[in-house]
Each structure stands twice: as structure tokens, then as C-alpha cells.
Amino acid sequence: MFKKKWWLIAASLIVCLVVFYYVFANKPAGVIPIIEVKKGNFRDVVVSPGELMAENTVYIQAPSGLQSNQIYEEIKIQDMVAEGSHVKEGDYIASLDPAVVNKKIGDVQLELDRAVTTLSQTSLDTTLQMRESRDNMQNLRFQMEQKKLALELSKFEPPATIRQAELDLEKAQRDLDQLVEKYKIQQRQAAAKMDQAAREVKRRQEQVSSLEELRSKFRITAPKKGLLVYIVDYAAGGKKKAGSAIRSWDPRLAMLPDLSSMMSKTYINEVDISKIKREQKVTMGLDAFPEVKLSGIVTSVANIGENRPGSNAKVFEVMIKLDKVDSILKPGMTTSNNILINQIPDKMIIPLECVFSEKTHSYVYLSKGNAIEKREVKLGKSNDEEVVVEKGLEKGDRLYMAEPPAAKDNKLTLLK
């Protein structure tokens, strides 16, 4: 009795395994989609990624005067409000580290102190020199009076004595005249020295005042209302933020874009740039919002190529203006731009997924009832989604969108 039950249990297990195999193990991995060939308008497009930006942007900058004050060192950003903040005109944006300016003020103050000392010393030296010259002139005038008196007293002396007295008086007069001329020159020299020393003092005072005024502007405020957006720091990589540096040749900290008009900036390779023209229509998508579809028009095409980071090929900047602006759009978002080059009507078009290749042949898999035909096709223009079939298919043909494993080794039907 027990043996009979054991056989029944074993038989039941075998039946279950057979059923399981045919129901589950032998079940196809998946159904391959089939599409029907149709005629339509083929869109010849150039596809290129881009980046959204405002058409008009106000840049928030460090105070002007860094270069005029001979400050060429980097200035650190001490603090900056969060990116994406909505600010009003006059609102606080950022503060800059005044360390560099403080050092410059200290250096200039030392030069000012030296200039003041020089001015004082020049004044003392000039006073002493001019006093000495005046004393010398006074002594010469006194000597002349003596010479005149000696000449008067010598009128009863021999002619030689009288002549000597005349010569002594003439020499004293020449010495006085020369000293008077020298005194005038010394006056002009002293005035020039004092003027130069005074100008140096004034120049250093103005430098200190200018630097102090510059330092007072290190608290940056918004020039207008808008959405605060950080800008790229090309020298250091990333974006400028607290801790980043600004430089005299690029004093920008952030920007306030006008979001009422947006552009997509893209770069087209040198192979396709000849196809791009102004006024061409563009459809685009957003990487952040795949369901959103936008449209625009090409507004400018660069005439000169450039090298972009990470690429050896030349590319050309192309600007695309959006027809409409949505509230979800933000500067810096990545766009996928489809620039319409040409539209060809009444063409046989199939998805790229339907096309396969083998050596020099392109082919598709046709559904023929229960059979599958592996047929060669002649292809025309293509874009990133579709391709034109010039020969080999008819309207209404049904194609597999993936390679059927069962037909992989089928014989290829060649075009005649």
C-alpha cells in the first residue's frame, strides 16, 4: 500500500515538472514590437546639446577701481547669498575679504609718512639755505659800502691806489650781482623741491583715500531685482561662491538674468556648420524635464571656430532663441536641440531600430504571416531617430524593431 502511494506521488511530481517546463521554462523571453511602414515627411535635422541662458543678463561685479589702485592680486569672496535667491535692488549679495586692500593701505600709509617727513625736511633745508644766502648778500652789501668809502678816501692818493680801489668796488659789485642771481635760482629750486614734496604727500593722501573708499564698497548689493545665479569660474573650475577668488581682469561675482527672454547656446561641429543658417526652426527638449517640448529659431551663427575643453575638433557657437518662456526654465539647464535643415515630403520612413547591417548590406526583418523575411534595403538620409528607405520596402510592410533570434541565420534577400 505504501509503495503504491509513493509511485502516485512520484508521478504527480513528474507531471508538475513537465507542466512547469512548458508553461514557464519554454515561454518566450519577450514579444518583439512590429511597426507598419508608412510614408511621410522626413525631417533632416542636426542634433546638438546646448545650455540655457538669458538673452539679457546683468552681472554683479566687484567694485571698479582694483586696477586703478594697482591691485592685481586675487580677492577672496568671504560670503555670498545662496544661488537661486530672489533679490531686490539694494539687497545684500556678497562681501569680499579686505585683507589685500588693508595691506595696500598699510604700504601706502608708510609711503605717505615718508613723504610728509621729506616735505618737512625739505622745508627746513630750504629755510636754512635761503637764510644763508640772504646773510651772504647782506655781508657783500656791507663790503661794497666799505669799498665805496675806500674809493672816496683814495682821491688824494696816487692814481694806482685810486685804480685799485675802483677795481675792488667793481669786483664787490660783481660778487653781489652773482649772489643775487644765485639767490633767485635757489628760490626757484626751493619752490620746485617744496612743490614736488607737497605733490608726493597729496598723491599718497589721495591713494589712501581711494583705497579706503574701495574697501568701503566690498559689501556688494544687487543693482536690480532678479534671480541670483552663480557664474562659472573658468580659472579654478566650478562656480564662484564663498571662498572663491575674483581677479582684476574678471571682477564678476554672479549674475541676474532676465528670464523673460531665453536662449540656448550650442556648439556645432565643423562638418555640420555649413548646414546651419539664421532663421532655421529648432525643436528642443530639456534633460531635466523630458516631457517638456520647446521651440525656437536660430538667431546667430559664429563665423570663427574654436576649441572646446575635451575636444580636438573645431566647433562653432550657435545661438537659438526660444519662442516661449516657461517658469520652469532656469539658466544652465541642458537642452537637446534639433535644428531643422530640410523637410523632404512623401518618403518611406522607418525607425533606425528596424535597420541592421552585414558587411556592405543594410537589411530589415519583414513579418510575412508566420514567416520572417530578411530583406536588403537601400537607405537615404537619416537623423537620430529615423531613416529614409529609397528601395526595398512598400507602404504597409510590417517590420520587426529588433532582430528575431529565430531569423538571424535566414538567407538575405538581395535587391534586384
Side-chain angles (χ1 to χ4, degrees):
M1 186 70 178
F2 174 77
K3 190 174 181 180
K4 186 178 180 181
K5 287 184 178 179
W6 184 86
W7 278 107
L8 288 173
I9 294 172
S12 300
L13 288 173
I14 292 171
V15 171
C16 290
L17 288 172
V18 171
V19 171
F20 177 83
Y21 174 78
Y22 280 101
V23 173
F24 296 101
N26 202 37
K27 186 177 180 180
V31 177
I32 299 175
I34 296 176
I35 61 100
E36 186 174 298
V37 177
K38 296 179 180 179
K39 281 192 172 184
N41 295 333
F42 175 76
R43 291 167 53 87
D44 185 9
V45 298
V46 171
V47 181
S48 178
E51 181 177 323
L52 280 182
M53 59 184 294
E55 184 175 11
N56 300 302
T57 298
V58 173
Y59 286 95
I60 300 171
Q61 306 192 57
S64 59
L66 292 175
Q67 289 187 334
S68 62
N69 281 284
Q70 299 179 348
I71 295 177
Y72 305 106
E73 299 91 337
E74 293 182 345
I75 304 292
K76 293 291 184 181
I77 302 174
Q78 280 188 329
D79 177 55
M80 189 185 296
V81 299
E83 185 177 27
S85 301
H86 289 273
V87 296
K88 299 189 294 293
E89 182 178 353
D91 281 358
Y92 168 80
I93 295 295
S95 58
L96 306 180
D97 185 355
V100 173
V101 178
N102 288 339
K103 182 179 182 302
K104 187 73 173 180
I105 290 174
D107 294 341
V108 176
Q109 187 63 53
L110 288 175
E111 295 298 326
L112 174 59
D113 294 341
R114 292 193 189 99
V116 170
T117 301
T118 300
L119 177 61
S120 177
Q121 187 64 47
T122 301
S123 178
L124 289 173
D125 292 344
T126 301
T127 300
L128 291 174
Q129 186 180 31
M130 301 308 292
R131 180 180 295 174
E132 182 180 356
S133 295
R134 286 193 297 272
D135 289 343
N136 291 336
M137 285 190 297
Q138 188 65 30
N139 291 335
L140 278 177
R141 288 191 182 96
F142 180 72
Q143 291 177 15
M144 279 190 62
E145 291 299 322
Q146 289 180 321
K147 301 299 181 181
K148 285 180 182 179
L149 182 59
L151 179 60
E152 290 177 2
L153 293 176
S154 67
K155 61 184 178 178
F156 301 109
E157 297 293 332
T161 304
I162 296 173
R163 183 56 184 160
Q164 183 63 51
E166 290 174 346
L167 291 174
D168 290 342
L169 179 60
E170 289 176 5
K171 182 178 182 305
Q173 183 63 54
R174 284 198 308 272
D175 290 344
L176 179 60
D177 292 343
Q178 290 174 354
L179 191 58
V180 170
E181 288 299 319
K182 182 179 179 181
Y183 180 76
K184 291 179 180 178
I185 293 172
Q186 287 177 330
Q187 279 185 314
R188 292 196 295 269
Q189 288 177 334
K193 287 181 180 179
M194 288 295 295
D195 184 58
Q196 182 179 1
R199 282 204 307 271
E200 180 64 13
V201 170
K202 184 179 180 181
R203 185 172 76 87
R204 296 300 182 182
Q205 287 174 335
E206 289 174 348
Q207 272 189 292
V208 172
S209 298
S210 179
L211 286 165
E212 289 176 343
E213 181 182 2
L214 176 65
R215 183 175 58 184
S216 70
K217 297 177 181 177
F218 272 27
R219 185 181 185 277
I220 313 297
T221 57
K224 56 173 288 188
K225 71 174 183 178
L227 178 72
L228 182 71
V229 177
Y230 291 173
I231 64 172
V232 176
D233 188 346
Y234 292 103
K239 290 187 175 183
K240 290 184 180 180
K241 55 185 182 298
S244 299
I246 60 170
R247 302 155 191 89
S248 57
W249 48 268
D250 184 16
R252 300 177 302 167
L253 281 83
M255 58 184 176
L256 296 173
D258 181 1
L259 302 182
S260 64
S261 179
M262 301 286 286
M263 309 283 288
S264 176
K265 179 165 68 173
T266 186
Y267 293 91
I268 306 297
N269 63 58
E270 55 191 328
V271 176
D272 293 326
I273 192 60
S274 60
K275 305 175 185 177
I276 309 300
K277 303 290 186 293
R278 291 183 60 187
E279 306 299 324
Q280 285 176 336
K281 294 182 179 180
V282 183
T283 57
M284 65 181 73
L286 291 175
D287 287 5
F289 301 98
E291 71 282 1
V292 176
K293 299 301 177 184
L294 306 169
S295 62
I297 189 169
V298 174
T299 57
S300 68
V301 181
N303 293 320
I304 299 175
E306 58 182 284
N307 288 317
R308 297 291 295 168
S311 174
N312 295 324
K314 288 282 186 180
V315 293
F316 295 76
E317 182 184 282
V318 173
M319 299 300 295
I320 302 165
K321 184 173 182 179
L322 275 66
D323 293 332
K324 293 182 180 180
V325 176
D326 194 284
S327 59
I328 65 171
L329 301 182
K330 299 290 185 292
M333 283 185 170
T334 303
T335 63
S336 57
N337 303 304
N338 296 272
I339 305 173
L340 180 61
I341 307 303
N342 190 19
Q343 192 159 272
I344 309 172
D346 197 31
K347 285 292 182 181
M348 206 82 70
I349 305 168
I350 63 173
L352 290 173
E353 292 89 341
C354 296
V355 181
F356 306 90
S357 62
E358 182 180 284
K359 295 182 181 179
T360 59
H361 302 288
S362 296
Y363 59 90
V364 296
Y365 288 99
L366 277 76
S367 174
K368 295 282 191 177
N370 294 326
I372 301 175
E373 181 184 352
K374 187 176 180 181
R375 182 187 295 179
E376 183 185 13
V377 290
K378 181 182 178 182
L379 303 178
K381 288 183 174 292
S382 66
N383 55 35
D384 63 326
E385 295 179 351
E386 300 174 320
V387 62
V388 173
V389 178
E390 300 289 357
K391 189 176 181 182
L393 293 178
E394 299 292 338
K395 183 179 178 181
D397 285 343
R398 302 174 71 244
L399 305 180
Y400 284 89
M401 294 188 67
E403 187 172 55
K408 183 177 181 181
D409 298 324
N410 285 8
K411 183 180 179 180
L412 180 62
T413 303
L414 299 177
L415 290 173
K416 296 179 180 180

